[in-house]
Amino acid sequence: MTELAVWRPSRRRLTEAFLATLAPVAACVLALGGLAAWTASGAAGSPARIEVTSGRVFLPYGDGQESAAFFRISNSVGVEDELTGVTSSAVDRAMLGRNTTTPGNAGYMRPVGSAIVPAGGTLAMSPRGLDVMVTVRGEWRAGDLVPFVLHFRHSGRIKTLAVVVRPGTF
C-alpha cells in the first residue's frame, strides 16, 4: 500500500509568492495613506457651494448701449471657486471688468479674465470694483429682469436674474 504524499511548498516557492504580492500590497497601502493625508488636510472637502444674489444691472444712459451688471456671490464651504465668465441672452456682449483709478484720479475699466470667490466668503461686485460690462440688446426699462448665467470653474453654470435699476440707486 502506498501512502499519499502531501504536497508542501518549498521555501523558494513561498519566497517567490511573497515577493509577487509585495508590490501590489505596497501600492495599495501607499495610495490609501495618500488619500487619508489628502482628506485630513481638507483638500478633499466638499465642492464649492455658490449662491448668487442681489443681481442688478444699470439702465443704459441716453442712447448708449453700454452698461454694467453686479452680483453678490457667496461661497458657503471651505473650498474657493473661480468665476470664469458671464453670459446672457439679453446682451450682445458680457465681460468681467474692474474699475480702477490712476494716481491722478482718472477712472478707467480694464477687462479681467476671472475672479476668485473665497472659501467661506463673498465676492461683492460694485461700481467701484469688479463688475460685468455689458452691451445691451434692445430697450430696457427700470424694473425689467435680465437673465444671466455665471460660469464657475468648479461649480459649473449658475442661472440668475438681475433687475434693471437707474444708476445711483445701487
Side-chain angles (χ1 to χ4, degrees):
M1 184 182 242
T2 58
E3 241 178 82
L4 291 175
V6 177
W7 180 81
R8 292 191 183 149
S10 67
R11 180 173 291 245
R12 180 175 168 233
R13 287 191 182 228
L14 285 173
T15 303
E16 288 173 355
F18 174 74
L19 292 176
T21 59
L22 185 62
V25 169
C28 288
V29 167
L30 185 62
L32 186 59
L35 287 172
W38 184 48
T39 302
S41 72
S46 304
R49 186 168 299 129
I50 299 294
E51 182 178 298
V52 179
T53 58
S54 303
R56 304 279 187 263
V57 62
F58 283 156
L59 185 65
Y61 181 73
D63 292 331
Q65 295 300 105
E66 294 347 86
S67 187
F70 313 93
F71 302 94
R72 182 175 183 83
I73 304 168
S74 301
N75 182 354
S76 61
V77 296
V79 178
E80 75 177 21
D81 205 344
E82 184 177 7
L83 176 63
T84 58
V86 179
T87 57
S88 174
S89 59
V91 301
D92 287 328
R93 182 179 64 111
M95 179 173 51
L96 288 172
R98 184 170 302 278
N99 296 298
T100 57
T101 56
T102 64
N105 288 332
Y108 67 96
M109 172 90 60
R110 66 178 173 86
V112 295
S114 64
I116 297 295
V117 183
T122 300
L123 172 65
M125 295 182 180
S126 74
R128 293 183 183 89
L130 183 72
D131 65 15
V132 180
M133 302 179 293
V134 296
T135 303
V136 175
R137 180 185 308 144
E139 298 271 333
W140 289 357
R141 293 186 316 250
D144 287 349
L145 294 177
V146 180
F148 283 92
V149 178
L150 280 66
H151 302 267
F152 295 90
R153 182 164 314 283
H154 303 293
S155 299
R157 301 166 14 133
I158 296 180
K159 295 179 181 180
T160 190
L161 294 172
V163 63
V164 177
V165 297
R166 294 187 188 284
T169 60
F170 189 76

